[in-house]
Amino acid sequence: MSDPAPGGDTAAAQLLTLEDVERAAAAALPAGVRDFIAGGSGRERTLAANRAAFDRVFLRPRVLRDVSRCSAAAELLDRPVSMPVAIAPVAYQGLVHPEGELAAARAAKAAGVPFTVSTLSTVPVEEITALGGDVWFQLYWLREPGRALELARRAEDAGCTALMLTVDVPWMGRRLRDVRNEFTLPDHVRAAHLDGGGASAAHHRTVGASAVAVHTGLEFSPSLSWSQVAELRASTRLPLLLKGVLAPEDAVRAVEFGVDAVVVSNHGGRQLDSALPSVEALPGIAEAVGGDCRVLLDSGVRSGTDVLKALALGASGVLVGRPPVWGLAVAGEDGVRRVLGLLADELADALGLAGCATVADARRLRTVRGGTGTGDGAGQRAGTTLMAGEGAAGP
């Protein structure tokens, strides 16, 4: 068990929202690391819009329904979960805690939700699956031929239960906080699945640039296309997810290529600045696939009520990225448990107060958007969109 937060149980009890955890993490982290986790690309318009869009979604609760046995239990990719939430892939978690991904994965297992290992994890996938939880593996397509497929096979052999191909990073978005900081990885933080776990370009300061961006530019392939999706689909028995889908046309094509789930995501506002908020894209994508594959939402989820909104708008579940990292920074495994516990408590509260005894009931809720339009899940998926104004911190 990791060390408790400063002040012990009393301090943890004061962390009543994910925003509280974020503030505690900001106070605990070095400025450069804080910016690396919190920042977005460009002028950070999409980063801000993710939250603004969620805040404009309102729920129309139902009454006189028996919620005495309210439950958030669900399934993700046909496996039982305590709530329809998975921890998103986040790179280099060893930056914020010595145990890094191991501590976060233990917390996910204890909470009964999946943990997604990043290609840029600081802990090898085999050590994480050895903990025994439900582990997904996130894959970046790499420049060197065959290496991405080798990593996919390695993850499958290690016991991962799903593969998640990130499709919105031909190169890293221009993240100005990191550029201004000339952000460079400390020597002890390594990408366990790349460079043999050794030092890389990410460890060498580059004037006027992010060393992490330089490294990923050398590693990630900008030629990823549907042919590689077909190649990956043919090479694995695992459920395959595509993360970074915002256009209904791409979601429909994913179904045609045998993809099991799409993750509606703008990479937490870290790729194309001015990409639409993920929650705005969600209804149209859910309508387009029509149940032919699962739809998960990533980017901007900051409460259990946000999870409920995503379910009402057509999602099977959500990914959360930055909040578990904040918890990890504050108190290691205990901090991640606190984050997941807050989400569980808030979701249970929101379900019951909305008149939903189950997650299936939540998917039938009606929503009001920006105080002007109404619609149920089907109506939203028919094309109603939010007025334009984070998930996972990617590499």
Side-chain angles (χ1 to χ4, degrees), residues 37-374:
I37 295 166
S41 62
R43 293 171 177 81
E44 300 190 346
R45 288 173 175 153
T46 295
L47 178 66
N50 279 333
R51 279 307 318 153
F54 259 113
D55 289 342
R56 279 193 299 273
V57 178
F58 293 86
L59 296 158
R60 192 186 299 280
R62 301 300 303 274
V63 296
L64 299 175
R65 296 187 170 191
D66 184 356
V67 291
S68 59
R69 295 184 179 180
C70 187
S71 172
E75 288 188 349
L76 288 179
L77 304 180
D78 297 324
R79 294 173 65 92
V81 290
S82 64
M83 58 179 168
V85 171
I87 293 185
V90 178
Y92 299 123
Q93 294 182 36
L95 278 168
V96 304
H97 190 274
E99 288 192 297
E101 291 83 358
L102 285 175
R106 285 198 301 267
K109 178 186 176 183
V113 300
F115 177 82
T116 310
V117 182
S118 172
T119 291
L120 297 176
S121 170
T122 56
V123 176
V125 62
E126 294 84 359
E127 293 184 27
I128 296 171
T129 55
L131 298 173
D134 188 2
V135 179
W136 302 351
F137 187 83
Q138 175 270 336
L139 182 67
Y140 286 112
W141 203 260
L142 303 174
R143 286 179 180 268
E144 187 175 328
R147 284 185 68 205
L149 290 179
E150 289 174 7
L151 263 182
R153 285 191 290 270
R154 177 177 172 182
E156 187 167 354
D157 291 345
C160 289
T161 59
L163 281 176
M164 179 186 295
L165 178 65
T166 294
V167 296
D168 61 350
V169 186
W171 51 80
M172 187 184 291
R174 194 161 176 263
R175 301 171 193 174
L176 297 181
R177 298 196 206 189
D178 296 343
V179 172
R180 292 186 179 106
N181 293 332
E182 296 181 352
F183 184 72
T184 307
L185 291 183
D187 185 65
H188 70 279
V189 174
R190 307 289 180 92
H193 303 120
L194 300 180
D195 308 310
S200 70
H203 296 89
H204 302 296
R205 185 174 299 279
T206 302
V207 176
S210 160
V212 174
V214 172
H215 178 232
T216 56
L218 296 171
E219 291 284 351
F220 295 176
S221 173
S223 63
L224 175 64
S225 68
W226 289 104
S227 62
Q228 284 80 42
V229 174
E231 190 176 8
L232 183 59
R233 176 68 287 174
S235 72
T236 183
R237 301 184 303 272
L238 294 179
L240 177 61
L241 303 85
L242 296 190
K243 178 177 178 286
V245 176
L246 290 173
E249 299 89 343
D250 289 334
V252 169
R253 192 133 197 236
V255 172
E256 295 170 354
F257 276 78
V259 168
D260 298 281
V262 294
V263 182
V264 182
S265 172
N266 55 40
H267 216 94
R270 292 162 74 81
Q271 284 302 103
L272 174 64
D273 196 25
S274 291
L276 78 165
S278 297
V279 75
E280 291 191 1
L282 171 61
I285 288 176
E287 173 67 19
V289 301
D292 291 332
C293 77
R294 284 83 161 186
V295 178
L296 304 179
L297 178 77
D298 168 77
S299 303
V301 175
R302 295 294 181 267
S303 71
T305 304
D306 289 343
V307 179
L308 182 59
K309 292 176 182 181
L311 296 172
L313 292 170
S316 302
V318 307
L319 304 183
V320 290
R322 289 181 178 94
V325 178
W326 300 335
L328 188 65
V330 172
E333 179 183 341
D334 290 338
V336 183
R337 288 193 186 207
R338 181 64 175 171
V339 164
L340 295 173
L342 286 170
L343 281 172
D345 290 346
E346 290 171 349
L347 178 56
D349 183 63
L351 280 169
L353 294 178
C356 300
T358 67
V359 166
D361 293 338
R363 297 193 175 104
R364 293 188 286 270
L365 282 177
R366 295 172 62 87
T367 59
V368 177
R369 297 182 160 222
T372 58
T374 62

